[in-house]
Amino acid sequence: MIRHALAFLLLLGAPAQLAAQDIQQHGRHTKIEMVKRFELRGDARAAFRQFKRKSDYFGAIYINRPERHAGVHANANSLWLAEAYAQTLCHKQSRNPDYCVLYARSVPKDYDRTAFGVTLSHAANKDFREYKKLQNKKRSGAFAVADNGAIGYSWAEPSSMVAREQALHRCTKASVKLLREAPQDLLPLLSSPARQTCHIVHTSN
């Protein structure tokens, strides 16, 4: 039964039982990966121009070529989340959602798809660097993430247990806020227990 539960969590993409220090750290720069190369017109063309200009990783743009619509999302903690957001938004605008296809992605310049560990958005990487600066060798800290994109971290706590509790508490609050502010169309994507559950992915002392 336990084996089946773990397999189910891994299938969902949740970071089941990740050990501390399982974070991929990325730099500040982004690159655009083209998936399709057909000509864009109308709103889709304008959306892609803006996507390239504000290309914070992780991002994705879905295009409905016949209807000239686009669904765009960037600054997500993972590619799957960016792509799922963008696809959902493209479907929402389209009379025929089947025309929506993945057109391009934005990823860190140093992104390695074969590397193990949790990925973070452009903004969350900045938070992670700040978290590391706040750590004290004589105190404890922890960094937590949820599969829906929420994060939370702690520092200068008296023990590793307290540090973990505080990071999970802050991540859970961020997850609740994220759901409260998310567009209605995206709630089914983000609201499952597997997506909301926070996990410790880095500890300090």
Side-chain angles (χ1 to χ4, degrees), residues 1-17 147 194-195:
M1 180 67 73
I2 293 175
R3 185 186 301 168
H4 291 314
L6 179 58
F8 181 64
L9 283 171
L10 291 172
L11 179 63
L12 284 173
Q17 300 300 315
D147 209 29
R195 300 302 188 205

Side-chain angles (χ1 to χ4, degrees), residues 88-123:
T88 299
L89 294 171
C90 184
H91 284 181
K92 180 184 177 183
Q93 298 181 70
S94 301
R95 294 187 299 275
N96 189 340
D98 291 340
Y99 289 141
C100 290
V101 297
L102 179 61
Y103 189 75
R105 305 180 180 99
S106 58
V107 298
K109 279 195 172 180
D110 54 357
Y111 182 49
D112 179 3
R113 281 180 168 76
T114 65
F116 177 78
V118 172
T119 55
L120 297 174
S121 69
H122 189 274

Side-chain angles (χ1 to χ4, degrees), residues 25-110:
Q25 292 181 251
H26 295 117
R28 294 171 173 80
H29 301 294
T30 303
K31 64 181 178 182
I32 300 295
E33 290 185 348
M34 299 301 300
V35 179
K36 304 288 185 183
R37 291 195 176 273
F38 52 76
E39 185 179 358
L40 300 178
R41 298 182 183 276
D43 292 342
R45 185 177 181 180
F48 182 58
R49 282 180 176 173
Q50 186 173 22
F51 177 74
K52 287 194 297 182
R53 232 179 7 251
K54 299 181 178 180
S55 57
D56 287 342
Y57 61 80
F58 288 89
I61 178 168
Y62 271 73
I63 299 292
N64 181 327
R65 188 181 184 185
E67 299 177 27
R68 302 182 183 181
H69 291 314
V72 182
H73 188 76
N75 205 17
N77 273 1
S78 62
L79 262 183
W80 81 258
L81 185 59
E83 290 179 11
Y85 264 63
Q87 184 182 46
T88 299
L89 294 171
C90 184
H91 284 181
K92 180 184 177 183
Q93 298 181 70
S94 301
R95 294 187 299 275
N96 189 340
D98 291 340
Y99 289 141
C100 290
V101 297
L102 179 61
Y103 189 75
R105 305 180 180 99
S106 58
V107 298
K109 279 195 172 180
D110 54 357

Side-chain angles (χ1 to χ4, degrees), residues 189-201:
L189 177 69
L190 303 174
S191 60
S192 73
R195 300 302 188 205
Q196 293 185 63
T197 303
C198 291
H199 309 264
I200 298 295
V201 292

